Amino acid sequence: MDARNEMLRLIQNRRQGFSLPRPFYNAPDFYRLDLELVWYREWLFVGHECEIAKPGSYFTVQVGDYPVVVVRGRDGIIRALHNSCRHRGSRVCTGRKGTAARLVCPYHQWTYDLDGSLLFAREMGEAFCKEDFSMKPVACESVAGYIFICLAEEPADFTPFRETMEPYFAPHNLAETKVAHEATIIEKGNWKLVWENNRECYHCSANHPELCKTFPEAPTVTGVSGAEKDPEIMEHWSRCEAAGLPSRFRIDEAGQYRVTRAPLLRDAVSYTMTGRPAVKRRLSDRVSERIGTLMLYHYPTTWNHILGDHAVTFRVLPLSATETAVTTKWLVHKDAVEGVDYDLKELIHVWTETNDEDRRIVEENALGVKSPAYEPGPYSPVHEGGVIQFVEWYASFIGPRLAEGADTKLRRVA
């Protein structure tokens, strides 16, 4: 039986409320299907507008087999392009980020404008028409300071997500921030194990002493139900909404993304060891420091915590069947000064430690799942509702696509 049919069979026969069979977490053929049917079809968070604030600034990202460059044009528009020269395919932008007046392929110096159009190709003969060889575009959208791309030939409508997310995030003015620190860790586990670990705090008290000083472990915060019956959350929503901040839990019909605000523990206002602000200058004058955390989850690439004084954003990218890159960025007001408005060690300490703790958890999970003795186990309906919801989303998205056969054509632009 080929991998597609085997994967479909396992999806159709899986036990709801249980973890997935072993091949979903470590089989290379299943990983390739994840890339083709999820990662190459869905909108993916890749970075922030503030990272490419000026014309000519760019950053690069690798999604499976696809190198992509995201660049701000002279017209201020943010575009994504396949980072592959139309001559012989070399990567055009080889660095992680930079600024350039033109995009020049280092191999033979084919030169592209910031919108991807070919400006110059040396000695290509009289019949050569440079208009036929622009860099190929990738669908790109930006909203409330976030940049998403989609590799699909026909991307899903971005509008519903924009209309859900923007009212929650716009007051925080994240387009007017800067990245105070960025860190990428490689977790030796499948991307789904990374997400399953993230979607519950069942493990937090035993593994995250730093985070547990400020972040509540309550399943009404980490899960997808029960918040309306939690008086502390309801009081927090009412207080935030009175200040003009949308706060209530919202999830899209397909379960791919959701957004909500949650209170921090006791008098905490920030993710620090004391609970006090990490940054003296707030992200936005429209938002007080006592707003708890604004949380956004968007499968398969991002979860986020937006506070009054700073934001912490996470990007998930698969590297192989058993490796995942998790990039964390700490955003502060663009005019905040390190050493004056914030101490960098204090700002990043909680999530630096938490990320490393999660890395160890995921890697131990991956080693256990690798055992031939492993079989799917039951999730806690009390504490792991968020994990159950993630697995349901994954199964509901990939199942029908597995049944489609070969209808996975990607964007091809002549």
Side-chain angles (χ1 to χ4, degrees):
M1 184 180 293
D2 64 34
R4 179 183 291 268
N5 288 331
E6 175 65 4
M7 195 180 206
L8 180 59
R9 183 186 69 80
L10 291 174
I11 284 286
Q12 292 173 337
N13 292 288
R14 70 186 183 88
R15 290 181 70 178
Q16 291 192 332
F18 279 63
S19 57
L20 294 165
R22 185 165 63 136
F24 286 92
Y25 299 121
N26 51 35
D29 287 347
F30 279 38
Y31 169 71
R32 294 301 308 179
L33 288 167
D34 276 355
L35 289 180
E36 293 171 16
L37 302 179
V38 177
W39 291 87
Y40 296 167
R41 285 194 175 194
E42 298 306 317
W43 286 101
L44 310 174
F45 165 67
V46 290
H48 294 283
E49 293 179 33
C50 68
E51 297 180 75
I52 48 174
K54 298 179 180 179
S57 52
Y58 67 87
F59 62 80
T60 59
V61 63
Q62 184 80 26
V63 182
D65 295 329
Y66 289 86
V68 175
V69 57
V70 181
V71 58
R72 189 183 290 270
R74 267 177 282 279
D75 53 6
I77 295 175
I78 295 173
R79 297 177 177 86
L81 305 165
H82 286 285
N83 191 13
S84 179
C85 184
R86 295 298 306 281
H87 177 212
R88 286 169 57 187
S90 177
R91 286 193 306 163
V92 176
C93 298
T94 58
R96 189 171 58 87
K97 59 179 62 178
T99 303
R102 303 282 189 273
L103 305 180
V104 182
C105 178
Y107 198 177
H108 301 95
Q109 288 72 57
W110 277 36
T111 302
Y112 302 88
D113 207 346
L114 299 178
D115 63 0
S117 58
L118 181 61
L119 296 175
F120 174 75
R122 181 168 50 90
E123 298 180 10
M124 290 302 295
E126 294 182 2
F128 179 76
C129 179
K130 67 178 187 295
E131 286 75 19
D132 294 337
F133 295 96
S134 298
M135 294 176 72
K136 295 183 178 182
V138 176
C140 182
E141 295 279 355
S142 58
V143 53
Y146 283 66
I147 302 170
F148 286 78
I149 65 169
C150 183
L151 293 160
E153 184 179 51
E154 297 181 3
D157 186 3
F158 191 77
T159 304
F161 173 68
R162 179 188 299 278
E163 291 178 345
T164 296
M165 180 227 185
E166 195 163 26
Y168 285 78
F169 278 72
H172 296 275
N173 205 23
L174 294 182
E176 297 295 321
T177 59
K178 65 180 179 181
V179 178
H181 187 70
E182 174 180 344
T184 296
I185 59 173
I186 307 302
E187 301 189 12
K188 295 179 181 179
N190 186 270
W191 68 274
K192 295 184 291 296
L193 290 180
V194 172
W195 266 109
E196 289 190 35
N197 176 63
N198 171 266
R199 292 310 313 117
E200 47 91 358
C201 221
Y202 197 22
H203 71 280
C204 287
S205 62
N207 294 279
H208 296 318
E210 300 84 5
L211 184 62
C212 285
K213 289 183 178 296
T214 54
F215 184 72
E217 301 173 70
T220 49
V221 173
T222 58
V224 293
S225 62
E228 293 81 1
K229 297 180 181 179
D230 186 321
E232 185 176 0
I233 291 178
M234 291 298 293
E235 191 276 333
H236 182 72
W237 286 351
S238 296
R239 186 172 66 251
C240 290
E241 288 171 351
L245 301 176
S247 300
R248 293 178 184 271
F249 179 90
R250 289 189 62 186
I251 186 168
D252 83 304
E253 291 182 0
Q256 184 172 24
Y257 54 85
R258 62 185 177 277
V259 62
T260 190
R261 294 186 192 273
L264 299 182
L265 293 176
R266 297 175 290 279
D267 296 326
V269 298
S270 190
Y271 290 129
T272 59
M273 295 299 287
T274 63
R276 294 193 292 268
V279 186
K280 294 177 183 177
R281 181 151 192 172
R282 297 197 305 275
L283 290 175
S284 170
D285 293 337
R286 296 173 57 188
V287 179
S288 75
E289 65 182 23
R290 297 192 60 79
I291 58 163
T293 177
L294 170 59
M295 297 186 293
L296 168 73
Y297 303 89
H298 189 293
Y299 304 142
T301 43
T302 187
W303 65 84
N304 304 262
H305 291 268
I306 314 303
L307 308 160
D309 65 328
H310 73 281
V312 191
T313 71
F314 303 82
R315 185 186 70 193
V316 177
L317 287 175
L319 301 179
S320 72
T322 55
E323 289 185 309
T324 305
V326 178
T327 298
T328 307
K329 296 176 183 178
W330 287 260
L331 275 59
V332 300
H333 190 282
K334 66 178 182 178
D335 296 326
V337 178
E338 182 182 349
V340 177
D341 296 302
Y342 63 94
D343 176 82
L344 186 61
K345 289 184 178 179
E346 181 184 35
L347 174 69
I348 69 173
H349 176 74
V350 168
W351 279 109
T352 298
E353 295 301 311
T354 301
N355 285 346
D356 192 54
E357 291 152 5
D358 279 330
R359 177 192 58 78
R360 293 196 296 270
I361 291 167
V362 168
E363 292 179 358
E364 289 297 331
N365 195 178
L367 287 170
V369 168
K370 188 177 180 180
S371 168
Y374 162 82
E375 60 183 52
Y379 296 121
S380 164
V382 177
H383 290 280
E384 295 176 300
V387 188
I388 294 171
Q389 189 275 329
F390 165 72
V391 174
E392 289 296 322
W393 167 81
Y394 171 76
S396 68
F397 265 51
I398 204 166
R401 295 172 182 184
L402 287 165
E404 289 174 358
D407 187 18
T408 59
K409 190 168 59 173
L410 299 176
R411 170 180 293 263
R412 295 189 180 94
V413 180

